[in-house]
Amino acid sequence: MRSPGLFSDIGKKAKDLLTKDYTCDREVTLSTVTASGVCLTSTAVKKGGLYSLDISSMYQHKNALICFKVDAESNVSTTFNVLGVLPSTKLAISVKLPDCNASKISTAFIISEALPYRKLVVSVKLPDDPLKLKLQYFHENATFATVVRMKPSPMVEFSATVGTEGVAFGAECRYDAARGKFRNYRAAIGMTSKYYHAALIMADKGDTIKVYGLYHFDKKQVVSAVVELTRKLSKKENTLTVGGLYTVDAQTTVKARLNDSGSLAALLRLQVKPKSHLMISGEFDMKSLDKPPKIGLALALVP
């Protein structure tokens, strides 16, 4: 079944091309799989002058999935996922140590296709953390989603999208039950095809207008160009960001972005072997070339 997608999907491809994977951190990720099927992953990250390290493992047995993670601050978190407890149901239980004290145990129930076109997510953290309910409805020409949060104050978020495969109209708002008011209105129009993705988003009660445009120069999307224009009506301010992506071959991808404040960012992604890649990113201030650039490095090795 095809649908116009969720409200958050409008303009997402253009935003991802401008923001995804750009980082000025140093990160190394190593993954391996043992003969018994246990997946081990170790990640080391340097942000500024601080280092962080975590080790995680994942093991799946029949319909049960166990995830275990330890970080440099001796925090231990464990998540149990069980599929097929009931038809179309997933049960997830997570515990974080050492500060759980029987109050940091969270449980989530995910029920998909319980009814035609529906996906229901129920999440509760006991005993003093917020209750969160999520409901998504997908149809051929409409999508509806709502999220209910009980703490710190009751809040209900609504979003709806109507349209066809190529055109979508959407709206989103938040209702503050404590104050009895609707807040954070947003509306959007999105158009998509094999060659382009365009979106117009109005936020802040119409005071902020964002326009996204993504164009692919060929069917295989080897070369793409993207633009983001933001207009703040009350302040009469404009912000412009342009970017592009070029896929040299199956192993090499290059992309860059530039905004009107003179910030230039570039990213080189190299596939060193199947499932393993190296990403080198840099950010430069074109108006202050005497400042040293910010350089990021990410290496992921998977057997």
Side-chain angles (χ1 to χ4, degrees):
M1 181 193 65
R2 296 182 178 180
S3 70
L6 297 171
F7 179 85
S8 58
D9 295 333
I10 299 179
K12 185 178 185 299
K13 291 187 177 181
K15 289 183 283 187
D16 285 348
L17 199 152
L18 287 172
T19 60
K20 192 175 181 180
D21 295 329
Y22 287 103
T23 178
C24 294
D25 302 329
R26 278 72 164 175
E27 179 177 340
V28 178
T29 301
L30 301 175
S31 298
T32 185
V33 180
T34 65
S36 60
V38 178
C39 179
L40 299 175
T41 302
S42 177
T43 303
V45 181
K46 179 183 179 183
K47 295 183 178 181
L50 300 177
Y51 292 88
S52 64
L53 174 68
D54 64 69
I55 300 175
S56 61
S57 63
M58 182 176 62
Y59 176 70
Q60 184 170 1
H61 177 68
K62 295 182 179 180
N63 62 340
L65 179 65
I66 302 175
C67 300
F68 180 81
K69 184 177 181 180
V70 182
D71 60 26
E73 298 179 353
S74 299
N75 294 314
V76 180
S77 60
T78 305
T79 302
F80 303 91
N81 294 278
V82 183
L83 303 176
V85 178
L86 295 173
S88 303
T89 304
K90 173 184 176 182
L91 170 65
I93 302 175
S94 62
V95 181
K96 187 175 182 180
L97 301 172
D99 59 344
C100 69
N101 294 325
S103 65
K104 297 297 182 181
I105 300 177
S106 61
T107 306
F109 299 91
I110 301 175
I111 305 174
S112 59
E113 299 178 0
L115 295 173
Y117 308 127
R118 290 165 177 81
K119 178 180 179 182
L120 174 64
V121 179
V122 181
S123 175
V124 56
K125 294 183 179 181
L126 301 173
D128 57 355
D129 284 333
L131 170 67
K132 181 179 179 181
L133 304 176
K134 182 187 296 183
L135 173 64
Q136 297 175 345
Y137 174 88
F138 297 89
H139 198 266
E140 184 176 358
N141 297 111
T143 302
F144 174 79
T146 181
V147 178
V148 180
R149 295 184 176 90
M150 302 306 296
K151 292 184 179 182
S153 62
M155 192 80 66
V156 183
E157 297 178 3
F158 303 94
S159 67
T161 307
V162 296
T164 61
E165 183 181 357
V167 181
F169 302 87
E172 182 182 57
C173 68
R174 178 181 299 175
Y175 179 72
D176 189 342
R179 299 181 180 180
K181 294 182 179 180
F182 284 94
R183 305 169 57 188
N184 297 351
Y185 303 97
R186 293 204 303 167
I189 302 174
M191 295 181 292
T192 182
S193 74
K194 293 181 179 179
Y195 289 96
Y196 69 85
H197 303 272
L200 171 66
I201 301 176
M202 300 182 65
D204 301 329
K205 298 182 180 180
D207 186 50
T208 301
I209 300 176
K210 288 190 175 185
V211 179
Y212 293 96
L214 172 61
Y215 183 77
H216 304 295
F217 290 88
D218 56 274
K219 291 183 178 180
K220 295 183 178 180
Q221 302 181 3
V222 174
V223 182
S224 304
V226 62
V227 60
E228 178 192 75
L229 175 63
T230 303
R231 171 70 174 178
K232 191 74 173 178
L233 298 179
S234 60
K235 298 182 179 180
K236 298 181 179 181
E237 295 179 350
N238 295 327
T239 303
L240 177 65
T241 304
V242 296
L245 177 144
Y246 176 55
T247 303
V248 181
D249 50 40
Q251 290 76 35
T252 308
T253 302
V254 180
K255 69 176 185 177
R257 72 179 182 204
L258 174 66
N259 60 28
D260 54 5
S261 63
S263 176
L264 173 64
L267 173 69
L268 173 63
R269 189 179 190 276
L270 301 172
Q271 182 177 304
V272 293
K273 67 175 187 176
K275 298 182 181 180
S276 300
H277 61 268
L278 170 67
M279 290 191 296
I280 304 173
S281 60
E283 186 174 350
F284 312 85
D285 189 348
M286 303 300 293
K287 295 182 179 180
S288 301
L289 295 178
D290 56 323
K291 294 182 179 179
K294 298 178 181 178
I295 304 297
L297 176 66
L299 175 64
L301 298 176
V302 181

